[in-house]
Amino acid sequence: MTEHVPPGRPRLLAFLPAFLFRTDGSKLAYILKAWALVLLPSLLLSFTVSQSIPSAKPPELPISGPVMIALITLAGPFVETLIMAALLLVLRRFVGFGPAVLLSSVGWGFAHSWGAPTWGLVAWWPFLIFSTAFLTWRERGFWTAILIVTAIHVLQNSFAVALLLLGPRLGSLY
């Protein structure tokens, strides 16, 4: 028996929760649920990678001072979301919603591997959710989609920065 795929939910992404493809509820509830969907698997992936490849080093982020923290937690998510949006809109035009989301997440995984080779093994998942959220909310408006995804991304990066600031031992979990 196959799972029913609601309208607007690509079969290729049927493994994702249905709420990700709906814009009829509270934006805040969507952001918080999407962040939980980003955070928990990211932590699991990070733990799995760190246990499977103990010699792997986490990315070295120059987190010192309020300006750098603001760049990583606020400016970075906004800029990456703008870049992701442009790429997704082109990809969606040529390959459709589901393939565009998958290509975007894999591409961002590779891009994040430049900082640390194994970082991409974790980064692809958040970008799968970010990409899905962007294309879903794009139907309600470009800037609405940008702000929703940026908010989810800000929460994700803020959590990671908080872990890194709490200490190298805790920060290496993420």
Side-chain angles (χ1 to χ4, degrees):
M1 177 178 219
T2 61
E3 175 189 358
H4 171 71
V5 179
R9 184 175 174 196
R11 189 165 301 281
L12 191 59
L13 301 174
F15 63 95
L16 294 174
F19 86 84
L20 274 177
F21 302 91
R22 298 184 57 183
T23 62
D24 56 350
S26 157
K27 291 177 179 123
L28 179 60
Y30 184 96
I31 290 166
L32 293 175
K33 288 192 293 187
W35 177 49
L37 187 60
V38 168
L39 179 65
L40 299 175
S42 293
L43 289 172
L44 181 62
L45 282 168
S46 183
F47 177 77
T48 302
V49 168
S50 69
Q51 295 304 303
S52 302
I53 311 169
S55 62
K57 294 184 181 183
E60 292 185 25
L61 300 174
I63 301 177
S64 61
V67 171
M68 198 48 118
I69 291 170
L71 286 173
I72 292 169
T73 60
L74 299 172
F78 181 69
V79 170
E80 284 186 344
T81 299
L82 287 174
I83 295 167
M84 182 189 73
L87 295 171
L88 273 169
L89 291 174
V90 170
L91 285 169
R92 182 175 186 193
R93 181 176 181 94
F94 291 105
V95 298
F97 190 117
V101 165
L102 293 175
L103 288 169
S104 173
S105 65
V106 168
W108 282 101
F110 279 119
H112 281 78
S113 291
W114 290 336
T118 57
W119 196 16
L121 297 173
V122 177
W124 71 271
W125 177 260
F127 280 93
L128 180 82
I129 306 306
F130 301 156
S131 298
T132 301
F134 175 79
L135 287 180
T136 296
W137 282 91
R138 172 65 182 97
E139 301 306 316
R140 296 274 303 270
F142 178 80
W143 290 109
T144 299
I146 292 291
L147 292 175
I148 295 280
V149 174
T150 298
I152 300 164
H153 200 156
V154 163
L155 289 171
Q156 184 72 357
N157 281 17
S158 296
F159 185 83
V161 166
L163 285 180
L164 290 167
L165 289 174
L166 286 173
R169 183 86 172 133
L170 263 179
S172 68
L173 291 176
Y174 186 73

